Amino acid sequence: MLTKQQKIENFDPSQPGSADASIYGLPFTAHESEIIILPAPWEVTVSYGSGASEGPEAILNASFQVDLLHQEFPDLWKLGIYMDEAPQHWIENSEKYKNLAQPIIEALENGEAIETFPQLQADLDKINKASAQFNQEVKERTLYWMNQGKKVILLGGDHSTPMGYYEALASKNDLFGILHFDAHMDLREAYEGFTYSHASIMYNAIKLPQIEKIVQVGIRDFSEGEVEVVKKSNKVKVYTDTDLKAKQFTGTTWQDQCNEIIAQLPENVAISFDIDALYRWYCPNTGTPVPGGLAYEQATYLLSALANSNKKIIGIDLVEVAPGEDDWDGNVGARLLFHLCGVFAKNSGMNVGEKIEF
C-alpha cells in the first residue's frame, strides 16, 4: 500500500482525478487528509425553491473538473481533502419531513392557524424533533473528525444545517464569531413554526453563549422582526449590499471595506457562506434568490484577506447550493469550496505553497 507521500509523487494533478476517488479526484484516504468535508443533504423547512439537499452531490460531481493548481494555494491538494459519506437516513428523513412540512407552509400562506389543525400541529412537532436530532448527529459527526485533528467543513444542504456544527465548535472554543455571507439575515424566530428553519439559523446561533459576534455581509432582504433583533442585540453587525455598494460608488475601495469587516470580528472566526450572497448568475438555482450581491472575486478576496489576518479561522460551512439542469451551480460551489479549503489551510499554518505570480 502506498504512503501519502508516494501517492503525492505518483499523482498528476493536471489530469482528471479518478471517478472512484474522493472529492476533487484526490487519491487520499480520510486518515491521510487534513480537511474533511461533511455533507449535510437536508432541506426540510425549504419555503421557496428546493434542491439544496442535492448540493453536496452536485459539488462532488463537479469537483472532478476543477483544476487543482490554485493560484493562491498551489500545493493545497497535497494536504488531502476528503468527503465523508452522509448517513442514508439523513437523506431519507430530509425527504420525509420536507413532505410533512409542505402542507404546514401552505396552510400558513393561506392565513390558517396551525394550532387549530391537530394533524398539522402534530406534524410540526415531529419536524422540530427530527431537526433537533439531525443537529445532534451533525454535532457528533463533526466532533468525531475534529477529535482526530481534522479541519472540518460542513457542506449543506439548506442554511439550517450548520446548527449542530456550531454546537460542536462551541464545545471546542470558549468564544468565537461568525463571518456570515448571505442575501438574508436569517434572524427570524422559528420561521413558519419551524424551530430550526433555514431562515432562523443566525437567530438560533446567537443564543449560543460562545458566539460573541456575527458580522453579516451582502444582506439585501430582511424583515421588520429581524431588524429588531439586530437593534436589540449587541452581537450582530450588518453590512447590507446597498450600503457596501453606495460607499464603493463614491470611492471607498473593497480593500478598505474588507479591512473594516475583518476588524469587527473577534479572534476566533467561523465562516458561514450561503451561496446566495453572490450575484444570481453564479447560483441560478439557489432556493431564495435576491437581486444584487457580491461578485465571486469580491467574496474570495475577503476570504483570503481573513486568512492572512491575525484572526483564527476555526470552522467553515457552505450552504444552499442547488443544482439545475446543468452543472453550473455545482461548478461554482466546487470552486468556492476549494478556495475555502485553501483559506482554512493557510490560516491554520499549513503549507499551501506560494501564490503564483505572472
Coordinates of all heavy atoms in Angstrom, one line a residue, residues 242-301:
T242 N -26.6 47.2 -0.2 CA -26.9 48.6 -0.6 C -25.9 49.5 0.0 O -25.3 50.4 -0.7 CB -28.3 49.0 -0.1 OG1 -29.3 48.2 -0.8 CG2 -28.6 50.5 -0.3
D243 N -25.5 49.4 1.3 CA -24.6 50.2 1.9 C -23.2 50.0 1.4 O -22.4 51.0 1.2 CB -24.6 50.0 3.5 CG -25.9 50.6 4.1 OD1 -26.6 51.3 3.4 OD2 -26.1 50.2 5.3
L244 N -22.8 48.8 1.2 CA -21.5 48.5 0.7 C -21.3 49.1 -0.7 O -20.3 49.7 -1.0 CB -21.2 47.0 0.6 CG -21.1 46.2 1.9 CD1 -21.1 44.7 1.7 CD2 -19.7 46.6 2.6
K245 N -22.3 48.9 -1.6 CA -22.2 49.4 -2.9 C -22.2 50.9 -3.0 O -21.5 51.6 -3.8 CB -23.4 48.9 -3.8 CG -23.4 47.3 -3.9 CD -22.4 46.9 -4.9 CE -22.3 45.3 -5.0 NZ -23.6 44.7 -5.2
A246 N -23.1 51.6 -2.1 CA -23.1 53.0 -2.1 C -21.8 53.6 -1.8 O -21.4 54.6 -2.4 CB -24.2 53.5 -1.1
K247 N -21.1 53.0 -0.8 CA -19.7 53.5 -0.5 C -18.7 53.3 -1.6 O -17.9 54.1 -1.9 CB -19.3 52.9 0.8 CG -20.0 53.4 2.0 CD -19.5 52.9 3.3 CE -20.2 53.5 4.5 NZ -19.7 52.9 5.8
Q248 N -18.9 52.1 -2.3 CA -18.0 51.9 -3.4 C -18.2 52.8 -4.5 O -17.3 53.3 -5.2 CB -18.2 50.4 -3.9 CG -17.7 49.4 -2.9 CD -18.2 48.0 -3.3 OE1 -18.5 47.7 -4.4 NE2 -18.3 47.1 -2.3
F249 N -19.5 53.2 -4.8 CA -19.8 54.1 -5.9 C -19.3 55.5 -5.6 O -19.1 56.3 -6.5 CB -21.3 54.2 -6.0 CG -22.0 52.9 -6.5 CD1 -23.3 52.7 -6.2 CD2 -21.3 51.9 -7.1 CE1 -24.0 51.5 -6.6 CE2 -21.9 50.7 -7.5 CZ -23.2 50.5 -7.2
T250 N -19.0 55.8 -4.3 CA -18.4 57.2 -4.0 C -17.0 57.1 -3.6 O -16.4 58.1 -3.1 CB -19.2 57.8 -2.9 OG1 -19.3 56.9 -1.7 CG2 -20.7 58.1 -3.3
G251 N -16.3 56.0 -3.9 CA -14.8 56.0 -3.9 C -14.2 55.1 -2.8 O -13.0 54.9 -2.8
T252 N -15.0 54.5 -1.9 CA -14.4 53.6 -0.9 C -14.0 52.3 -1.6 O -14.7 51.7 -2.4 CB -15.4 53.3 0.2 OG1 -15.8 54.5 0.8 CG2 -14.7 52.4 1.3
T253 N -12.8 51.8 -1.4 CA -12.3 50.6 -2.0 C -12.8 49.4 -1.3 O -13.1 49.4 -0.1 CB -10.8 50.5 -2.1 OG1 -10.3 50.4 -0.7 CG2 -10.2 51.8 -2.7
W254 N -12.9 48.3 -2.0 CA -13.3 47.0 -1.4 C -12.3 46.6 -0.4 O -12.6 46.0 0.6 CB -13.5 45.9 -2.5 CG -13.9 44.6 -2.0 CD1 -13.3 43.4 -2.3 CD2 -15.1 44.2 -1.2 NE1 -14.0 42.3 -1.7 CE2 -15.1 42.8 -1.0 CE3 -16.1 45.0 -0.6 CZ2 -16.0 42.2 -0.3 CZ3 -17.1 44.3 0.1 CH2 -17.0 42.9 0.3
Q255 N -11.0 46.9 -0.6 CA -10.0 46.5 0.3 C -10.2 47.2 1.7 O -10.1 46.6 2.7 CB -8.6 47.0 -0.2 CG -7.4 46.6 0.8 CD -6.1 47.1 0.3 OE1 -6.0 48.2 -0.4 NE2 -5.1 46.4 0.6
D256 N -10.6 48.5 1.6 CA -10.9 49.2 2.9 C -12.1 48.6 3.6 O -12.1 48.5 4.8 CB -11.1 50.7 2.6 CG -9.8 51.4 2.2 OD1 -8.7 50.9 2.6 OD2 -9.9 52.5 1.6
Q257 N -13.1 48.3 2.8 CA -14.3 47.7 3.4 C -14.0 46.3 4.0 O -14.5 46.0 5.1 CB -15.4 47.5 2.3 CG -16.0 48.9 1.9 CD -17.1 48.8 0.9 OE1 -17.0 48.0 -0.1 NE2 -18.1 49.6 1.0
C258 N -13.2 45.5 3.3 CA -12.8 44.2 3.9 C -12.0 44.4 5.2 O -12.2 43.6 6.2 CB -11.9 43.4 2.9 SG -12.8 42.8 1.4
N259 N -11.1 45.4 5.2 CA -10.4 45.6 6.5 C -11.3 46.0 7.6 O -11.1 45.5 8.8 CB -9.3 46.7 6.2 CG -8.2 46.3 5.3 OD1 -7.9 45.1 5.2 ND2 -7.5 47.3 4.8
E260 N -12.3 46.8 7.3 CA -13.3 47.2 8.3 C -14.1 46.0 8.8 O -14.3 45.8 10.0 CB -14.2 48.2 7.8 CG -15.3 48.7 8.8 CD -16.3 49.7 8.2 OE1 -15.9 50.4 7.3 OE2 -17.4 49.8 8.7
I261 N -14.5 45.1 7.9 CA -15.3 43.9 8.2 C -14.5 43.0 9.1 O -15.0 42.5 10.1 CB -15.8 43.2 6.9 CG1 -16.8 44.0 6.2 CG2 -16.3 41.8 7.2 CD1 -17.1 43.6 4.7
I262 N -13.3 42.8 8.7 CA -12.4 41.9 9.5 C -12.2 42.4 10.9 O -12.1 41.7 11.9 CB -11.1 41.6 8.7 CG1 -11.4 40.8 7.5 CG2 -10.1 40.9 9.6 CD1 -10.2 40.7 6.5
A263 N -12.0 43.7 11.0 CA -11.7 44.4 12.3 C -12.9 44.2 13.2 O -12.8 44.2 14.5 CB -11.4 45.8 12.1
Q264 N -14.1 44.0 12.7 CA -15.3 43.8 13.5 C -15.4 42.4 14.2 O -16.1 42.2 15.1 CB -16.6 44.0 12.7 CG -16.8 45.4 12.2 CD -17.3 46.3 13.3 OE1 -17.8 45.9 14.3 NE2 -17.0 47.6 13.1
L265 N -14.6 41.5 13.7 CA -14.6 40.1 14.1 C -13.8 39.8 15.3 O -12.7 40.5 15.5 CB -14.2 39.2 13.0 CG -15.1 39.1 11.7 CD1 -14.3 38.5 10.5 CD2 -16.3 38.3 12.0
P266 N -14.2 38.9 16.2 CA -13.3 38.5 17.3 C -12.2 37.7 16.9 O -12.0 37.4 15.6 CB -14.3 37.7 18.2 CG -15.3 37.2 17.3 CD -15.5 38.2 16.2
E267 N -11.4 37.2 17.8 CA -10.1 36.5 17.4 C -10.5 35.2 16.7 O -9.9 34.9 15.7 CB -9.3 36.2 18.7 CG -8.1 35.4 18.4 CD -7.3 35.0 19.7 OE1 -7.7 35.5 20.8 OE2 -6.3 34.3 19.6
N268 N -11.4 34.4 17.2 CA -11.8 33.1 16.6 C -13.0 33.3 15.7 O -14.0 33.9 16.1 CB -12.1 32.1 17.6 CG -10.9 31.7 18.5 OD1 -9.8 31.7 18.0 ND2 -11.1 31.3 19.7
V269 N -12.9 32.8 14.5 CA -13.9 33.1 13.5 C -14.4 31.8 12.7 O -13.5 31.1 12.3 CB -13.4 34.1 12.4 CG1 -14.6 34.4 11.4 CG2 -13.0 35.4 13.1
A270 N -15.7 31.6 12.6 CA -16.2 30.6 11.7 C -16.8 31.4 10.5 O -17.3 32.5 10.7 CB -17.3 29.8 12.4
I271 N -16.7 30.8 9.4 CA -17.2 31.4 8.1 C -18.5 30.6 7.8 O -18.5 29.4 7.7 CB -16.2 31.3 7.0 CG1 -15.0 32.1 7.3 CG2 -16.9 31.8 5.7 CD1 -13.8 31.7 6.4
S272 N -19.6 31.3 7.6 CA -20.8 30.7 7.1 C -21.1 31.4 5.7 O -21.4 32.6 5.6 CB -22.0 30.9 8.0 OG -23.1 30.3 7.6
F273 N -21.1 30.6 4.6 CA -21.2 31.1 3.3 C -22.5 30.5 2.7 O -22.5 29.4 2.2 CB -20.0 30.8 2.4 CG -19.8 31.8 1.3 CD1 -18.8 32.6 1.2 CD2 -20.8 31.8 0.3 CE1 -18.6 33.5 0.2 CE2 -20.7 32.7 -0.8 CZ -19.6 33.6 -0.8
D274 N -23.5 31.3 2.6 CA -24.7 31.0 1.8 C -24.5 31.4 0.4 O -24.2 32.6 0.2 CB -26.0 31.7 2.4 CG -27.3 31.3 1.8 OD1 -27.3 31.1 0.5 OD2 -28.3 31.2 2.5
I275 N -24.6 30.5 -0.6 CA -24.2 30.8 -1.9 C -25.0 32.0 -2.5 O -24.6 32.7 -3.4 CB -24.4 29.6 -2.8 CG1 -23.5 29.7 -4.1 CG2 -25.8 29.3 -3.1 CD1 -22.0 29.6 -3.9
D276 N -26.2 32.3 -1.9 CA -27.0 33.4 -2.5 C -26.5 34.7 -2.1 O -27.0 35.8 -2.5 CB -28.5 33.2 -2.2 CG -28.9 33.4 -0.7 OD1 -28.1 34.1 0.0 OD2 -30.0 32.9 -0.3
A277 N -25.3 34.8 -1.3 CA -24.6 36.0 -1.1 C -24.1 36.6 -2.5 O -23.9 37.8 -2.6 CB -23.5 35.9 -0.1
L278 N -23.8 35.7 -3.4 CA -23.3 36.0 -4.7 C -24.4 36.5 -5.6 O -25.6 36.2 -5.5 CB -22.6 34.8 -5.3 CG -21.4 34.2 -4.5 CD1 -20.9 33.0 -5.3 CD2 -20.3 35.2 -4.3
Y279 N -24.0 37.2 -6.7 CA -24.9 37.5 -7.8 C -25.5 36.2 -8.3 O -24.9 35.2 -8.4 CB -24.2 38.2 -8.9 CG -23.8 39.6 -8.7 CD1 -22.5 40.0 -8.6 CD2 -24.8 40.6 -8.6 CE1 -22.1 41.4 -8.5 CE2 -24.4 42.0 -8.5 CZ -23.1 42.3 -8.4 OH -22.8 43.6 -8.2
R280 N -26.8 36.3 -8.7 CA -27.5 35.1 -9.0 C -26.9 34.4 -10.2 O -27.1 33.2 -10.3 CB -29.0 35.4 -9.3 CG -29.8 34.1 -9.3 CD -31.3 34.3 -9.7 NE -31.9 33.0 -9.7 CZ -33.2 32.8 -10.1 NH1 -33.9 33.8 -10.5 NH2 -33.7 31.6 -10.1
W281 N -26.2 35.0 -11.1 CA -25.7 34.3 -12.2 C -24.7 33.2 -11.8 O -24.3 32.3 -12.6 CB -25.1 35.2 -13.3 CG -24.0 36.2 -12.9 CD1 -22.8 35.9 -12.5 CD2 -24.2 37.6 -12.7 NE1 -22.1 37.0 -12.2 CE2 -22.9 38.1 -12.3 CE3 -25.2 38.5 -12.9 CZ2 -22.7 39.5 -12.1 CZ3 -25.0 39.9 -12.7 CH2 -23.7 40.3 -12.3
Y282 N -24.2 33.3 -10.6 CA -23.3 32.3 -10.1 C -24.1 31.1 -9.5 O -23.5 30.0 -9.3 CB -22.4 32.8 -9.0 CG -21.4 33.9 -9.4 CD1 -21.6 35.2 -9.0 CD2 -20.3 33.6 -10.2 CE1 -20.7 36.2 -9.4 CE2 -19.4 34.6 -10.6 CZ -19.6 35.9 -10.2 OH -18.7 36.9 -10.6
C283 N -25.3 31.4 -9.1 CA -26.1 30.3 -8.4 C -27.6 30.4 -8.8 O -28.4 30.7 -8.0 CB -26.0 30.5 -6.9 SG -26.2 32.2 -6.3
P284 N -27.8 30.2 -10.1 CA -29.2 30.5 -10.6 C -30.3 29.6 -10.0 O -31.5 30.0 -10.1 CB -29.1 30.2 -12.1 CG -27.8 29.3 -12.3 CD -26.9 29.8 -11.2
N285 N -29.9 28.5 -9.4 CA -31.0 27.6 -8.9 C -31.0 27.6 -7.4 O -31.7 26.8 -6.8 CB -30.7 26.2 -9.4 CG -30.9 26.1 -10.9 OD1 -32.0 26.2 -11.4 ND2 -29.8 26.0 -11.6
T286 N -30.3 28.5 -6.7 CA -30.4 28.6 -5.2 C -31.9 28.9 -4.8 O -32.6 29.5 -5.6 CB -29.4 29.6 -4.7 OG1 -29.4 29.4 -3.2 CG2 -29.9 31.0 -5.0
G287 N -32.2 28.5 -3.6 CA -33.7 28.5 -3.2 C -34.3 29.8 -3.1 O -35.5 30.0 -3.4
T288 N -33.7 30.9 -2.5 CA -34.3 32.1 -2.3 C -33.4 33.3 -2.8 O -32.8 34.0 -2.1 CB -34.6 32.4 -0.8 OG1 -33.4 32.1 -0.1 CG2 -35.7 31.5 -0.3
P289 N -33.4 33.4 -4.2 CA -32.5 34.4 -4.8 C -33.0 35.8 -4.6 O -34.2 36.1 -4.5 CB -32.5 34.0 -6.3 CG -33.9 33.4 -6.5 CD -34.1 32.6 -5.2
V290 N -32.1 36.8 -4.6 CA -32.4 38.2 -4.4 C -31.5 39.0 -5.4 O -30.3 38.7 -5.5 CB -32.2 38.7 -3.0 CG1 -32.6 40.1 -2.8 CG2 -32.9 37.8 -2.0
P291 N -32.0 40.0 -6.1 CA -31.2 40.8 -7.0 C -30.0 41.4 -6.2 O -30.1 41.7 -5.0 CB -32.2 41.9 -7.5 CG -33.5 41.3 -7.4 CD -33.5 40.4 -6.1
G292 N -28.9 41.7 -6.9 CA -27.8 42.2 -6.3 C -26.8 41.1 -5.8 O -27.0 40.0 -6.1
G293 N -25.9 41.5 -5.0 CA -25.0 40.5 -4.4 C -23.5 40.8 -4.7 O -23.1 41.8 -5.2
L294 N -22.7 39.9 -4.2 CA -21.2 40.0 -4.3 C -20.8 39.3 -5.6 O -21.3 38.3 -6.0 CB -20.5 39.4 -3.1 CG -20.8 39.9 -1.7 CD1 -20.2 39.1 -0.7 CD2 -20.4 41.4 -1.6
A295 N -19.7 39.8 -6.2 CA -19.0 39.1 -7.3 C -18.2 38.0 -6.6 O -17.8 38.1 -5.4 CB -18.1 40.0 -8.1
Y296 N -18.0 36.9 -7.4 CA -17.2 35.8 -6.9 C -15.8 36.3 -6.4 O -15.4 35.9 -5.3 CB -17.0 34.8 -8.0 CG -16.2 33.5 -7.6 CD1 -16.9 32.5 -7.0 CD2 -14.9 33.5 -7.7 CE1 -16.2 31.3 -6.6 CE2 -14.2 32.3 -7.4 CZ -14.8 31.3 -6.8 OH -14.1 30.1 -6.4
E297 N -15.2 37.2 -7.1 CA -13.9 37.7 -6.8 C -13.9 38.6 -5.5 O -12.9 38.6 -4.8 CB -13.2 38.5 -7.9 CG -13.0 37.6 -9.2 CD -14.2 37.5 -10.1 OE1 -15.3 38.1 -9.7 OE2 -14.2 36.8 -11.1
Q298 N -15.0 39.3 -5.3 CA -15.1 40.1 -4.1 C -15.1 39.1 -2.9 O -14.5 39.4 -1.9 CB -16.4 40.9 -4.1 CG -16.4 42.2 -4.8 CD -17.7 42.9 -4.7 OE1 -18.7 42.5 -5.1 NE2 -17.7 44.0 -4.0
A299 N -15.9 38.1 -3.0 CA -16.0 37.1 -1.9 C -14.7 36.5 -1.6 O -14.3 36.4 -0.4 CB -17.1 36.1 -2.2
T300 N -14.0 36.0 -2.6 CA -12.7 35.3 -2.4 C -11.7 36.2 -1.9 O -10.8 35.8 -1.1 CB -12.3 34.5 -3.7 OG1 -12.2 35.5 -4.8 CG2 -13.2 33.4 -4.0
Y301 N -11.7 37.5 -2.3 CA -10.8 38.5 -1.8 C -10.9 38.7 -0.3 O -10.0 38.7 0.4 CB -11.0 39.8 -2.5 CG -10.0 40.9 -2.1 CD1 -8.8 41.1 -2.8 CD2 -10.3 41.7 -1.1 CE1 -7.9 42.1 -2.5 CE2 -9.4 42.7 -0.7 CZ -8.2 42.9 -1.4 OH -7.3 43.9 -1.0

